[in-house]
Amino acid sequence: MTLLLNVKRQGRSFLWPSPYSYLHESKVSFVRSLRKAKFWNPRKNTTEHIVTEVPKNRRNLSCPVFDFLAEADDSVNSIDSELMCDSFAQESDIVCRIYLRQIGLESLERLVCKLESTTKVPKIVYFLTFGDYEFHLRHYVAIVAAQRHVDPLALYIIGDQEPLGIYWSLVLRDVPGVRFVYRETPRQISGHRIRFVQHKSDLVRLQTLYFNGGIYLDTDMVILRNIDQLLDNELTAGMIDANVHMGNGFIMSQKGNNFIKEWYQLYKTEYKQNSWGYNSMKVPMMLHRNDTSRLVEIGNKIYRPNWHERALLANGTYDWSKNYAMHIWRSAKPHPESTEEIKSANTTICEVLRYILYGNPAPIT
């Protein structure tokens, strides 16, 4: 039986998956730890706890990583700095610790959040959403695919509010261990007002990869096969088109990676608030051109069909047998919105969705 946390915030009640999911400690040990807590309810097999606010930052020690991230984004101050620099930081999943503190289970950090990774990139998957973000079929499929093909230690949806819609409800029902982690929304970058909501996610994904390492995926990036062979690269990403733009919808990064650090640093010194893609795509492209040895580039296996070829997604077919992933571009319309719509259509999108949902890309007759 799945352990659930009955969490109340701002008058609303949520059932959240327990932080036990995907971790290696035995369930018996975890349950025993919960029973020691005053909010354990053995009859319901749940815990009940009231969360009134996100814990305030506790500056008990100097933390260069935290200070570096906060230079460009003062909303980082909503995170406890000690999580990035205390004695447990280097061997823990810091996002797991943030999650536990938000739901009042800080005492279980060392039991639940110890990271036992043998690869450079930990198998921790992140998706980001900010604002009123409604999940559609393609988003549901992307999260199901990540859980199946990455087999992650943890899978997080990070944002300032939970996603909306029936497909978010289906994610919570169907994807074991998915956890929503609250993150205060950035309001400005290096003192400049944020004009594009995408810039908030662009910034937070780099922060998260830098202090925790792992695998960032856009909510419409569908993983198509096992990616374990990429886990020992220090950094993996891909160009979208002809050496002009580096995509940031699929990034696998080692914790503390220097390329990620330099990329983030340029948000402080060269943030262009009026350009949708300068800092997110052109900056990493320039960094890669300066030294191609720091990044394993796999654009043809994650961004094809690219945005110039998006007609092949919704109105044609593309051979994706060698792809690690496929980006279901938002502009590649029409997007199927129900499983009925994908059963017989002979398009790339429908092939991919059928493959993830039913294990076979062929039309269903």
Side-chain angles (χ1 to χ4, degrees), residues 69-92:
L69 297 177
E71 287 177 354
D73 173 21
D74 60 9
S75 73
V76 170
N77 286 292
S78 64
I79 304 171
D80 286 346
S81 62
E82 67 178 31
L83 295 177
M84 300 183 194
C85 288
D86 65 11
S87 61
F88 191 40
Q90 291 303 312
E91 55 181 329
S92 66

Side-chain angles (χ1 to χ4, degrees), residues 195-252:
R195 297 193 60 184
F196 298 96
V197 67
Q198 292 87 352
H199 289 185
K200 300 178 181 182
S201 172
D202 293 339
L203 195 70
V204 173
R205 75 190 65 178
L206 295 183
Q207 294 169 357
T208 307
L209 290 171
Y210 185 66
F211 73 70
N212 211 44
I215 303 161
Y216 168 80
L217 300 172
D218 275 357
T219 54
D220 48 10
M221 179 67 75
V222 180
I223 301 295
L224 299 173
R225 59 188 171 102
N226 185 284
I227 59 173
D228 282 359
Q229 68 187 85
L230 303 175
L231 292 171
D232 275 320
N233 300 331
E234 293 182 2
L235 182 64
T236 302
M239 293 178 290
I240 295 177
D241 62 50
N243 297 334
V244 176
H245 295 97
M246 179 72 71
N248 70 345
F250 177 112
I251 308 172
M252 299 176 62

Side-chain angles (χ1 to χ4, degrees), residues 13 16 41 78 80 91 127 136 148 201 203 206 224 243 247 250 254 285 300 353 361:
S13 182
W16 289 16
N41 187 334
S78 64
D80 286 346
E91 55 181 329
F127 295 91
H136 296 276
R148 180 179 304 160
S201 172
L203 195 70
L206 295 183
L224 299 173
N243 297 334
F250 177 112
Q254 186 178 33
M285 186 69 253
N300 284 338
L353 299 187

Side-chain angles (χ1 to χ4, degrees), residues 70 73 100 143 199 245 281 303 356:
D73 173 21
L100 287 183
I143 295 175
H199 289 185
H245 295 97
M281 294 186 291
Y303 291 117
I356 299 301

Side-chain angles (χ1 to χ4, degrees), residues 51-287:
V51 177
T52 56
E53 62 180 18
V54 177
K56 297 183 183 299
N57 181 27
R58 288 171 275 186
R59 297 304 305 270
N60 296 326
L61 71 165
S62 174
C63 186
V65 174
F66 178 91
D67 293 339
F68 168 71
L69 297 177
E71 287 177 354
D73 173 21
D74 60 9
S75 73
V76 170
N77 286 292
S78 64
I79 304 171
D80 286 346
S81 62
E82 67 178 31
L83 295 177
M84 300 183 194
C85 288
D86 65 11
S87 61
F88 191 40
Q90 291 303 312
E91 55 181 329
S92 66
D93 173 357
I94 294 172
V95 177
C96 173
R97 299 175 68 190
I98 293 171
Y99 172 78
L100 287 183
R101 293 189 181 201
Q102 289 178 3
I103 60 176
L105 294 177
E106 179 179 346
S107 62
L108 299 180
E109 287 180 11
R110 290 187 177 270
L111 171 67
V112 176
C113 300
K114 183 175 176 59
L115 184 61
E116 298 178 356
S117 178
T118 59
T119 56
K120 291 181 179 178
V121 176
K123 292 176 74 170
I124 304 173
V125 173
Y126 314 102
F127 295 91
L128 291 174
T129 65
F130 284 104
D132 294 332
Y133 197 97
E134 183 174 3
F135 266 30
H136 296 276
L137 177 61
R138 65 188 184 277
H139 304 128
Y140 168 80
V141 169
I143 295 175
V144 169
Q147 193 274 338
R148 180 179 304 160
H149 290 134
V150 179
D151 188 24
L153 298 171
L155 195 160
Y156 299 110
I157 314 296
I158 300 173
D160 60 343
Q161 64 184 61
E162 289 193 44
L164 308 172
I166 183 62
Y167 283 108
W168 170 242
S169 299
L170 293 177
V171 165
L172 294 176
R173 185 194 72 180
D174 297 341
V175 182
V178 65
R179 309 172 217 172
F180 175 77
V181 181
Y182 175 80
R183 170 62 164 84
E184 182 178 313
T185 185
R187 300 295 180 186
Q188 58 182 16
I189 297 176
S190 300
H192 300 285
R193 183 174 65 88
I194 298 174
R195 297 193 60 184
F196 298 96
V197 67
Q198 292 87 352
H199 289 185
K200 300 178 181 182
S201 172
D202 293 339
L203 195 70
V204 173
R205 75 190 65 178
L206 295 183
Q207 294 169 357
T208 307
L209 290 171
Y210 185 66
F211 73 70
N212 211 44
I215 303 161
Y216 168 80
L217 300 172
D218 275 357
T219 54
D220 48 10
M221 179 67 75
V222 180
I223 301 295
L224 299 173
R225 59 188 171 102
N226 185 284
I227 59 173
D228 282 359
Q229 68 187 85
L230 303 175
L231 292 171
D232 275 320
N233 300 331
E234 293 182 2
L235 182 64
T236 302
M239 293 178 290
I240 295 177
D241 62 50
N243 297 334
V244 176
H245 295 97
M246 179 72 71
N248 70 345
F250 177 112
I251 308 172
M252 299 176 62
S253 177
Q254 186 178 33
K255 181 177 182 176
N257 180 267
N258 283 330
F259 187 102
I260 296 291
K261 182 178 183 179
E262 291 179 32
W263 185 356
Y264 186 83
Q265 176 69 26
L266 289 170
Y267 273 93
K268 178 184 177 183
T269 59
E270 294 186 24
Y271 175 53
K272 297 188 184 301
Q273 67 182 129
N274 296 321
S275 173
W276 176 77
Y278 175 79
N279 290 90
S280 60
M281 294 186 291
K282 289 189 177 180
V283 163
M285 186 69 253
M286 291 186 292
L287 292 175

Side-chain angles (χ1 to χ4, degrees), residues 26-37 40 108 111:
S26 73
K27 186 172 181 178
V28 172
S29 297
F30 182 72
V31 170
R32 285 174 179 167
S33 298
L34 286 178
R35 283 175 174 164
K36 294 178 182 178
W40 169 252
L108 299 180
L111 171 67

